[in-house]
Amino acid sequence: MRQQLNAWAHEYYVQDSPSVPDAEYDRAFRELQALEAEHPELVTPDSPTQRVIGAVMDGLAPVRHAVPMLSIHTETDTEASGAQAFDARVRRELGLQESDPPVEYVAEPKFDGLAMSLRYEHGKLVQAATRGDGEVGEDVTHNIRTIRQIPLMLPAGVPPLLEVRGEVYMPRADFDALNERQRAQGGKTFVNPRNAAAGAVRQLDSGIAAQRPLRFFAYGLGAITSEAEGGPAFATHFELLQALKSWSFPVAEQVQTALGATELVAFHQQVGASRDALPYDIDGVVYKVNSLQLQRQLGFKTREPRWAVAHKYPAQEMATRIEAIDVQVGRTGKITPVARLAPVFVGGVTVTNATLHNLFEIRKKGVRVGDQVIVRRAGDVIPEIVGVVPGPRAGYVANFHMPKACPVCGSAVVREKGEANHRCTGGLFCPAQRKEALLHFAARRAMDIEGLGDKLVDQLVDQGVIRTLPDLYRMGLTALIALDRMAEKSAQNVLAALEKSKRTTLPRFLFALGIRQVGEATAKDLARHFGSLDAIMDATVDQLLQVNDVGPVVAEAIHTFFAQPHNREVVEQLRACGVTWEEGAPAERAMLPLAGKTVVLTGTLPTLSRDAAKDMLEAAGAKVAGSVSKKTHYVVAGEEAGSKLAKAQELGVPVLDEAGMLALLAAPTPTEPQP
Ligand code: IVH
């Protein structure tokens, strides 16, 4: 384990090219720590637990730190109890009783970059050094000088000697762009922003570092002119951070003081919730005792201060093995390769599948069955495969190939010229496409059929109850009750939902048909422009091109869809089943009663849902906006209307209730003769 850990550490710190995710390293490290705790006689001086890992690379000059760069104890418990355990330890070591007041801390994000020490003499940046092994780091001044956020000269009045400690990092967006550029140029890509940042900082040629978008956050001090020699007398860590800020160093805005374990827990949760929205990676938070007097009292344990701790979040990247690559068929026939993974806990959930998007993505990443890969899952984002862990394959593994025939219906699989995706040509003949088409048809923003979810659709299609969309409205109670786990009551609910869905609107119906390229907005534009379904079905490509926001690709897709007899047949049968909507005259926008008017909805209306009211207003030609301005013509306000109503009153915009809105919609159009 010592050898393995040392080898991993070398890849990570010296080569900037780790072969395992951090969490894997951490786990092995902790296991070794536990073994050594049980068997102290086995501890050797070269054990990675006995020193802070790191080495000085050939070519970069070694720098002895005036004040060692410490490491920090990590709470392995990612739950709230991590903060509680730290607070309890601090209180115990300070000899505090339960009746004593809470300890004040400073809570900070734990930036996932690399530690840096910046030495200023008489306000001038003279040296920048990496942490190295904590005692001796590397001189990277030439590269650090290229980071615009790092001041080269400090304002007058700073202590003559000042070492600022902080983290150099690369924002995630810049990291993605860098990798994209590297890929385009056939260069080396990086596994994560931290390694990209580390790679840039340790370049021998500062021209390369200058092209990498690096940034810096300050979080502490190294050496500083002593109080006796006229240096500053800070009482707290927070005060010290404010001073750094005033000297023009970037300090993260989330940094705050926190009273006792309760506020530490709150901070951990609050920062955790916003983690994915941050432009840079963090892997946890850091808590520090605020009073410098108390910090001195607590002191150190070997290389770690007793007054600070790192409290982690669940890892967002983990390594696992690809067990198989399957393909899935989507609603439009798109064939998506999916990696089946050995189950792995990442980003707070167990992941067993990850999309590989398309064949080109597989080739680009070079993944094959059996490979160790790094899986990333951040927030609610679907898990993705970041890359393959370099290493030999056990033997020959064939490259993945797209099936020639659809695995579900056997129809031919094709890829259109210029497209990245392969598609099944089976259309609605393909059960997989049929299922997806049904789910889309039933979706809330489409026909809004409550209770028709994927489990039910799977059964309905697999058991042959439903082959086409109209079959939905033809199935009876008996067919439904015959399904697994379907009681009579739920079956009746499904039928009631189907019945209710029959009264719909033309835009919803158009969207529900699942015509390629036709989303909600296009469906609305089509309905508004043509007024009736027949007019749309019979429109030529040229006529379709007249519609707002419809270009050649969309026009062609709509025309092709309605040119297919079986699609027209589906529409006719749905109508025959009782699906209805109100049609209007072919309308030029200008002729609609609310053409050119902007309306804002706010609060809860007594009978209409927000979506229904929006649909009605848009059908009348109005634009429904999200905020009130001088250009707003009407505000429709319901119960619990808040700031938008106040704004309308302030600007003198007419305010209507639901009844007022319906009256407005019922008013004759401006061009019709008045009675
Ligand atoms: S304080 C004595 N504060 O985490 C405490 N470290 O082992 C010294 N890090 O590599 C560190 N964010 O670069 C501190 N807000 C923060 C930090 C932070 C990230 C890194 C640091 C070091 C590791 C601590």
Side-chain angles (χ1 to χ4, degrees):
M1 282 192 84
R2 283 195 293 260
Q3 265 174 15
Q4 177 62 269
L5 280 160
N6 279 332
W8 281 343
H10 184 79
E11 290 167 353
Y12 179 101
Y13 285 101
V14 182
Q15 299 170 331
D16 295 327
S17 178
S19 64
V20 290
D22 300 5
E24 189 127 342
Y25 177 92
D26 290 346
R27 210 182 36 233
F29 192 89
R30 286 198 298 273
E31 197 179 330
L32 179 60
Q33 268 180 326
L35 284 171
E36 290 180 341
E38 242 174 83
H39 300 281
E41 74 280 7
L42 296 181
V43 179
T44 59
D46 74 335
S47 170
T49 61
Q50 298 305 297
R51 64 182 173 120
V52 184
I53 302 281
V56 178
M57 256 171 39
D58 289 340
L60 292 177
V63 175
R64 178 161 291 277
H65 297 298
V67 173
M69 290 183 81
L70 301 167
S71 56
I72 192 168
H73 179 74
T74 301
E75 265 323 314
T76 48
D77 191 343
T78 57
E79 302 300 312
S81 39
Q84 286 149 359
F86 171 60
D87 180 57
R89 223 164 39 237
V90 166
R91 293 183 70 86
R92 194 174 56 241
E93 273 151 16
L94 290 174
L96 295 177
Q97 305 299 312
E98 224 168 280
S99 54
D100 287 318
V103 174
E104 184 170 73
Y105 298 98
V106 173
E108 308 174 5
K110 185 169 190 297
F111 313 105
D112 201 5
L114 74 157
M116 191 61 55
S117 184
L118 307 173
R119 187 178 170 96
Y120 291 84
E121 289 174 10
H122 303 288
K124 212 174 124 209
L125 175 68
V126 293
Q127 193 168 63
T130 62
R131 173 156 141 222
D133 64 4
E135 299 286 342
V136 178
E138 300 155 324
D139 187 338
V140 290
T141 319
H142 61 301
N143 291 328
I144 293 307
R145 291 177 72 90
T146 69
I147 303 179
R148 295 219 185 92
Q149 278 187 318
I150 293 181
L152 299 178
M153 280 298 288
L154 298 180
V158 300
L161 170 63
L162 175 69
E163 276 183 16
V164 176
R165 302 267 162 96
E167 198 89 348
V168 169
Y169 68 96
M170 187 181 289
R172 188 152 263 287
D174 291 312
F175 163 75
D176 290 338
L178 170 65
N179 261 356
E180 206 51 56
R181 264 199 323 272
Q182 292 288 103
R183 218 172 266 134
Q185 295 166 1
K188 174 187 170 177
T189 57
F190 299 91
V191 194
N192 55 41
R194 195 211 22 253
N195 292 108
V201 163
R202 324 224 346 244
Q203 292 290 330
L204 293 175
D205 173 3
S206 67
I208 298 177
Q211 291 165 22
R212 307 264 167 95
L214 296 176
R215 286 167 178 269
F216 180 74
F217 275 127
Y219 56 62
L221 290 180
I224 183 162
T225 310
S226 72
E227 254 180 85
E229 289 167 58
F234 298 119
T236 64
H237 178 69
F238 196 72
E239 230 172 76
L240 173 170
L241 291 179
Q242 295 317 110
L244 286 174
K245 218 184 211 169
S246 75
W247 295 333
S248 71
F249 290 96
V251 174
E253 57 179 24
Q254 295 93 335
V255 172
Q256 59 184 60
T257 55
L259 217 47
T262 324
E263 290 192 12
L264 293 182
V265 170
F267 183 83
H268 186 254
Q269 281 165 357
Q270 173 202 323
V271 172
S274 65
R275 182 184 186 192
D276 300 316
L278 290 177
Y280 47 83
D281 279 356
I282 60 171
D283 56 353
V285 290
V286 178
Y287 311 133
K288 300 170 183 173
V289 171
N290 194 19
S291 154
L292 300 187
Q293 166 57 37
L294 290 184
Q295 286 190 6
R296 281 188 287 271
Q297 202 177 318
L298 284 159
F300 301 88
K301 182 187 170 197
T302 48
R303 310 298 303 273
E304 294 167 350
R306 287 203 185 86
W307 45 264
V309 81
H311 191 188
K312 293 245 191 169
Y313 293 117
Q316 292 182 318
E317 285 184 6
M318 287 297 279
T320 190
R321 188 175 165 278
I322 296 200
E323 299 191 320
I325 299 177
D326 292 342
V327 295
Q328 268 172 7
V329 187
R331 173 169 68 84
T332 57
K334 180 183 176 235
I335 309 239
T336 307
V338 178
R340 306 291 177 206
L341 306 167
V344 58
F345 191 73
V346 55
V349 299
T350 300
V351 170
T352 51
N353 300 309
T355 175
L356 287 163
H357 302 290
N358 57 49
L359 184 65
F360 296 95
E361 191 73 15
I362 296 184
R363 293 287 184 270
K364 192 164 88 184
K365 291 186 170 150
V367 299
R368 298 197 185 190
V369 173
D371 283 352
Q372 282 287 121
V373 290
I374 291 169
V375 175
R376 177 178 172 87
R377 180 185 179 273
D380 296 332
V381 179
I382 52 168
E384 60 164 350
I385 289 176
V386 183
V388 176
V389 177
R393 295 189 167 104
Y396 172 76
V397 181
N399 213 344
F400 171 83
H401 286 284
M402 273 290 175
K404 298 250 184 302
C406 171
V408 178
C409 72
S411 303
V413 167
V414 299
R415 180 174 65 84
E416 274 152 43
K417 226 174 129 197
E419 279 223 11
N421 298 327
H422 286 70
R423 285 179 199 285
C424 159
T425 52
L428 290 183
F429 169 74
C430 175
Q433 292 191 50
R434 222 181 287 149
K435 285 179 188 175
E436 295 301 327
L438 278 166
L439 285 170
H440 175 76
F441 186 78
R444 197 175 63 80
R445 307 287 303 167
M447 298 298 280
D448 194 14
I449 308 173
E450 233 184 281
L452 198 71
D454 44 11
K455 299 243 160 52
L456 182 53
V457 164
D458 275 352
Q459 286 200 64
L460 290 171
V461 172
D462 291 343
Q463 304 194 11
V465 179
I466 286 182
R467 287 186 52 82
T468 67
L469 295 176
D471 289 344
L472 267 177
Y473 293 106
R474 295 188 191 119
M475 76 184 159
L477 197 59
T478 0
L480 272 170
I481 294 178
L483 301 174
D484 282 355
R485 276 168 308 189
M486 178 63 78
E488 179 158 347
K489 183 81 190 90
S490 2
Q492 263 157 356
N493 287 343
V494 172
L495 289 181
L498 279 162
E499 197 53 39
K500 185 164 158 236
S501 75
K502 286 183 185 172
R503 272 201 70 77
T504 185
T505 65
L506 180 52
R508 278 176 177 273
F509 182 74
L510 272 174
F511 174 56
L513 287 176
I515 305 165
R516 265 172 84 181
Q517 311 287 349
V518 177
E520 262 187 288
T522 309
K524 281 182 184 167
D525 286 336
L526 286 167
R528 216 172 284 152
H529 184 95
F530 289 101
S532 75
L533 183 63
D534 288 324
I536 298 169
M537 297 205 321
D538 295 337
T540 63
V541 169
D542 278 342
Q543 286 166 336
L544 287 163
L545 282 170
Q546 310 284 310
V547 181
N548 226 353
D549 287 334
V550 169
V553 176
V554 181
E556 197 58 53
I558 299 166
H559 185 74
T560 312
F561 183 88
F562 288 117
Q564 316 271 334
H566 64 263
N567 287 335
R568 288 181 164 263
E569 183 63 28
V570 163
V571 169
E572 279 330 304
Q573 289 182 12
L574 284 169
R575 278 170 155 166
C577 288
V579 175
T580 61
W581 55 85
E582 269 172 36
E583 300 208 325
E588 280 301 320
R589 268 184 79 80
M591 283 171 59
L592 292 167
L594 294 185
K597 301 279 191 256
T598 302
V599 183
V600 173
L601 287 165
T602 177
T604 314
L605 300 178
T607 69
L608 291 170
S609 71
R610 169 78 55 125
D611 283 345
K614 185 164 181 263
D615 284 349
M616 290 171 78
L617 287 164
E618 285 178 346
K623 180 172 167 221
V624 178
S627 61
V628 180
S629 74
K630 273 190 290 200
K631 295 198 180 125
T632 310
H633 293 91
Y634 301 102
V635 168
V636 178
E639 213 150 293
E640 274 165 34
S643 60
K644 291 180 191 172
L645 178 57
K647 187 83 186 279
Q649 283 158 347
E650 183 193 318
L651 295 172
V653 175
V655 177
L656 306 173
D657 58 7
E658 185 182 285
M661 179 191 103
L662 293 172
L664 186 70
L665 290 168
T669 63
T671 50
E672 272 174 49
Q674 301 290 314

